[in-house]
């Protein structure tokens, strides 16, 4: 249960609330790395989408050393670069494991400590695993994820990674997302442009 803020248009507030679990869990994971003495690198697959863009902003605020937003098409790459939500932007098909891993490694100089999967298409599990460093963390925030494929894939690839299922709820998730919307110009731009394109603003 979360209170809809009175200072935001209803459609905008509902759009944020629809995906507010992703940035909250991303922030929690990044903070744990920081508290342990290491600012992590973070790759968000689907970085131009609603949950992905919020996750990029949350990772940066929580203390990520560097972030990369991964998108499948040039138009989304140009949008992410324009609003400045990620330190780097990579173009890759998340269903191509080697292509995704190479794109992230080229952007960051290495694979990522934290990989957040926010794309709602099947077949992204192996790419996320290959893109994550040993001892790293993958957050699967997509109901298209095959968790059997993720588990068996990590075993088959001999990947020492922690895999988390984003369940949509983290305490304070709505407040965090609304605060990001109010304080991060890039988030505000992306969300208002999306609403306008859908005819709600």
């Amino acid at each position: 249960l979360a209170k809809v803020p009175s200072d935001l248009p209803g459609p905008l507030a509902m759009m944020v609330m629809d995906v507010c679990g992703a940035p909250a869990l991303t922030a929690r994971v990044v903070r744990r790395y920081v508290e342990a003495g290491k600012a992590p690198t973070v790759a968000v697959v689907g970085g131009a989408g609603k949950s992905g863009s919020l996750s990029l902003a949350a990772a940066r605020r929580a203390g990520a050393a560097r972030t990369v937003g991964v998108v499948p098409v040039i138009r989304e790459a140009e949008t992410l670069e324009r609003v400045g939500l990620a330190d780097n932007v990579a173009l890759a098909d998340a269903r191509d494991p080697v292509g995704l891993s190479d794109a992230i490694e080229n952007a960051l100089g290495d694979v990522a400590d934290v990989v957040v999967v926010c794309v709602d298409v099947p077949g992204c599990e192996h790419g996320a695993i290959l893109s994550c460093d040993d001892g790293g963390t993958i957050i699967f925030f997509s109901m298209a994820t095959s968790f059997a494929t993720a588990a068996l894939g990590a075993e088959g690839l001999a990947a020492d990674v922690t895999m988390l299922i984003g369940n949509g709820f983290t305490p304070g998730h709505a407040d965090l997302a609304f605060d990001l919307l109010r304080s991060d110009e890039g988030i505000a731009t992306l969300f208002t442009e999306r609403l306008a394109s859908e005819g709600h603003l």
Side-chain angles (χ1 to χ4, degrees):
L1 181 66
K3 183 177 180 181
V4 177
S6 59
D7 64 321
L8 297 174
L12 180 59
M14 295 308 296
M15 180 177 280
V16 172
M17 292 179 78
D18 181 47
V19 294
C20 62
L25 182 55
T26 300
R28 174 188 283 179
V29 169
V30 171
R31 279 196 304 268
R32 287 177 176 170
Y33 276 84
V34 172
E35 290 166 359
K38 179 183 181 180
T41 55
V42 179
V44 178
V45 185
K50 294 182 293 184
S51 59
S53 58
L54 281 166
S55 294
L56 281 169
R60 176 181 286 174
R61 178 186 286 190
R66 290 180 70 194
T67 61
V68 55
V70 184
V71 293
V73 294
I74 292 175
R75 174 180 53 80
E76 291 187 358
E78 291 173 344
T79 297
L80 264 189
E81 289 170 351
R82 172 170 55 86
V83 299
L85 280 176
D87 297 311
N88 301 88
V89 178
L91 196 64
D93 184 338
R95 299 166 296 183
D96 175 0
V98 175
L100 178 62
S101 177
D102 286 348
I104 289 173
E105 189 165 357
N106 288 338
L108 294 176
D110 200 351
V111 288
D113 297 309
V114 178
V115 178
V116 186
V117 180
C118 293
V119 293
D120 56 357
V121 295
C124 303
E125 300 85 1
H126 291 166
I129 293 164
L130 282 179
S131 301
C132 191
D133 201 4
D134 286 341
T137 304
I138 304 170
I139 304 172
F140 288 108
F141 220 95
S142 166
M143 292 301 102
T145 302
S146 166
F147 300 106
T149 299
L152 295 174
E155 179 184 2
L157 293 167
D160 176 23
V161 294
T162 297
M163 297 183 288
L164 303 177
I165 301 170
N167 73 352
F169 175 75
T170 300
H173 61 338
D175 290 339
L176 171 65
F178 287 133
D179 190 51
L180 288 170
L181 177 69
R182 293 185 182 101
S183 61
D184 192 301
E185 186 176 345
I187 289 294
T189 298
L190 278 186
F191 273 73
T192 54
E193 287 180 355
R194 181 184 292 269
L195 273 180
S197 70
E198 295 175 1
H200 296 299
L201 283 180

